[in-house]
Amino acid sequence: MTAAATSHHVPEEHLLEYVAGAGTEAAALAMACHLSLCPSCAALARDLETMGGAALDPSRAQPLASGTLDRLLARLDEGERDVASPRDAHGAALLARWGIPSSVARYLPSGADARRWRRLVPGITRIDLRVGPASTVARLVTLTPGIEIPLHDHDGTEYTVIFAGALHDEEGRFGRGDISIREAGAAHVQRVEKSEPCVALVINEGPLRPLTWKGKALSFLSRL
Amino acid sequence: MPGRVTSDHGDEANLLEAVAAHRDRAAFARFFELFAPRVKGQLMGRGLSAAIADELTQEVMLTVWRKAEQFDRHKGLVSTWLFVIARNVFLNHHRRQHWPEPDALAAETTPPTPPEALFLLAEGEHHVREAMRELPTEQRETLDGAYYRGRTLRELSEEQGIPLGTVKTRVRLGLARLREALTGAPLGASAGKKAQS
């Protein structure tokens, strides 16, 4: 369970995009989940933020329109109503039970019913998350020990972050905290480790393209 | 020089702490004068007009006013804290995106940064700025594209008409230089760095 055991990390250029606020919110969610569980990448991200702070460079400062500070000072009192989002105890408990970072909380569907694990295909249950844009599919999944996810490819990048159990593909074993980033065109088969169910966040930024009949069946069923 | 750099950071941190502790408007005004023009410069770098950058800079500074008590001088620099706030405000207001942030790692995995490391970090920031200016043009422009203009590497490769692999190489080389400038001081400012797999 220790976070220090993560062995698949975020390439530095993806971390840079995350820190700089480039790319999609869905990719950022995958990064935030990995960073919540991986001290070494979290330390790298902090360095990148420090470099970003250095990029707030006095030599590129732009003067503000005159009177801006006065207008702002007049707004300070109005400003105390920081709208705290209502606490979602149910969502927090759900995430805690599966060891999922709380960054996921705001993307959970609302209502207890939508938050039940539903069968996607035999051996896989899922809770759909709400992360835009519409072409992005973001899900929490549980995978039965020992099953295989057939050969498939993607039209967009696929991000997987593991919270429990483990997945294997030709790049090795992915356990708690590990992240896998697959660009479009990198077809792969994944196998779930036999010892325990695997819980993961899976984000596809484009439609899945199954490459075998088993995969096609999976893809058909997953649209139901 | 090092003394100047750190006492600057101490002064900046004092301003935020005065805002947090006594809602000190004079300290806030001073903080605004120091940082608001830098924030605006970066927002304009992200492609905003001067008028919209003015508006968003106000939002950033309002957030500073409201969240000043969350700043902790023992965890990092004022400029780092402000950079993250400015990024989030930009994404929120301009792109209607929330930017998920990681959970704080369990206390035992993130030891508090010792004072001398912060001292070196403040110096390091200064060195990073210098190193940034001395980078080969193509590396500087690439890192600028990310940090200043908020572009993805794919967008940069399309913009500049060069392969994605080349952009990645430039990023890695450039970041290695900056990291050296940041942590080149005797004591590494960040613990637990690891080669990327």
Side-chain angles (χ1 to χ4, degrees):
Chain A
M1 275 290 273
T2 63
T6 46
S7 54
H8 295 271
H9 300 279
V10 180
E12 198 168 29
E13 64 269 15
H14 284 280
L15 269 187
L16 172 67
E17 288 178 344
Y18 168 74
V19 166
T24 62
E25 188 169 346
L29 176 61
M31 297 300 146
C33 285
H34 176 65
L35 293 175
S36 298
L37 299 170
C38 178
S40 67
C41 286
L44 276 173
R46 270 196 302 280
D47 280 355
L48 291 172
E49 283 173 357
T50 305
M51 294 174 198
L56 283 174
D57 191 334
S59 71
R60 301 207 256 189
Q62 293 283 341
L64 280 100
S66 66
T68 304
L69 176 58
D70 290 334
R71 280 199 298 281
L72 183 58
L73 288 172
R75 288 177 64 195
L76 291 184
D77 298 322
E78 125 205 1
E80 297 302 326
R81 42 159 187 88
D82 201 359
V83 231
S85 43
R87 195 173 140 60
D88 173 6
H90 176 270
L94 173 75
L95 297 179
R97 177 141 46 94
W98 300 94
I100 301 170
S102 58
S103 335
V104 172
R106 68 178 291 126
Y107 302 104
L108 286 170
S110 47
D113 190 51
R115 291 175 174 188
R116 283 207 331 266
W117 294 99
R118 283 169 199 285
R119 196 163 87 153
L120 180 64
V121 292
I124 305 181
T125 64
R126 54 89 157 77
I127 295 173
D128 288 339
L129 301 176
R130 300 173 305 181
V131 187
S135 58
T136 297
V137 176
R139 285 173 169 151
L140 296 172
V141 297
T142 63
L143 309 165
T144 303
I147 66 162
E148 186 181 278
I149 298 165
L151 189 69
H152 60 282
D153 195 356
H154 314 273
D155 285 333
T157 309
E158 179 192 67
Y159 301 86
T160 308
V161 184
I162 309 290
F163 303 125
L167 274 179
H168 292 259
D169 68 13
E170 80 284 358
E171 286 183 3
R173 177 183 188 274
F174 293 78
R176 176 166 168 82
D178 284 333
I179 185 167
S180 154
I181 303 174
R182 292 277 182 160
E183 304 293 340
H188 62 151
V189 179
Q190 294 158 308
R191 196 180 304 276
V192 183
E193 201 163 281
K194 290 203 174 81
S195 55
E196 58 172 320
C198 178
V199 181
L201 168 73
V202 181
I203 293 172
N204 283 301
E205 293 198 312
L208 200 78
R209 267 191 291 122
L211 300 176
T212 61
W213 66 268
K214 267 203 294 184
K216 283 178 183 143
L218 181 145
S219 156
F220 172 74
L221 288 167
S222 71
R223 279 196 296 267
L224 299 182
Chain B
M1 193 64 128
R4 189 189 64 77
V5 172
T6 29
S7 72
D8 275 1
H9 180 251
D11 293 346
E12 294 161 359
N14 287 343
L15 294 177
L16 283 179
E17 286 167 1
V19 170
H22 337 286
R23 308 271 82 190
D24 183 333
R25 286 169 174 255
F28 178 75
R30 178 80 194 110
F31 188 88
F32 180 96
E33 279 158 12
L34 275 173
F35 284 104
R38 300 187 206 175
V39 170
K40 181 178 175 183
Q42 196 180 43
L43 289 169
M44 289 181 68
R46 287 183 186 263
L48 300 187
S49 69
I52 293 177
D54 268 337
E55 290 300 311
L56 282 201
T57 303
Q58 286 194 52
E59 292 304 320
V60 171
M61 289 294 152
L62 263 184
T63 309
V64 167
W65 174 258
R66 291 175 194 161
K67 295 195 170 168
E69 60 277 3
Q70 291 174 14
F71 171 75
D72 180 349
R73 71 162 77 209
H74 303 295
K75 286 194 182 148
L77 300 176
V78 170
S79 56
T80 310
W81 185 74
L82 184 62
F83 168 76
V84 172
I85 289 182
R87 175 196 73 193
N88 293 351
V89 166
F90 168 78
L91 291 169
N92 240 299
H93 285 252
H94 192 69
R95 300 216 324 230
R96 303 273 154 218
Q97 279 180 336
H98 169 78
W99 210 240
E101 291 193 68
D103 295 354
L105 290 158
E108 67 268 25
T109 63
T110 47
T113 314
E116 66 271 22
L118 268 185
F119 176 91
L120 295 169
L121 206 55
E123 259 189 77
E125 186 196 2
H126 192 70
H127 294 312
V128 167
R129 237 171 239 158
E130 282 173 355
M132 190 92 98
R133 290 191 197 109
E134 286 160 15
L135 285 179
T137 315
E138 73 277 3
Q139 288 173 28
R140 194 181 59 240
E141 281 173 357
T142 308
L143 286 180
D144 235 49
Y147 273 132
Y148 230 74
R149 297 191 289 119
R151 298 286 188 269
T152 63
L153 303 198
R154 191 174 296 282
E155 286 162 351
L156 290 173
S157 107
E158 284 160 11
E159 242 176 60
Q160 300 171 12
I162 49 173
L164 185 57
T166 310
V167 179
K168 285 187 186 176
T169 308
R170 288 177 183 176
V171 163
R172 285 185 184 160
L173 292 173
L175 284 181
R177 289 278 189 88
L178 297 191
R179 186 181 312 287
E180 209 179 288
L182 181 65
T183 60
L187 192 135
S190 63
K193 272 207 293 291
K194 239 161 115 175
Q196 292 299 288
S197 57

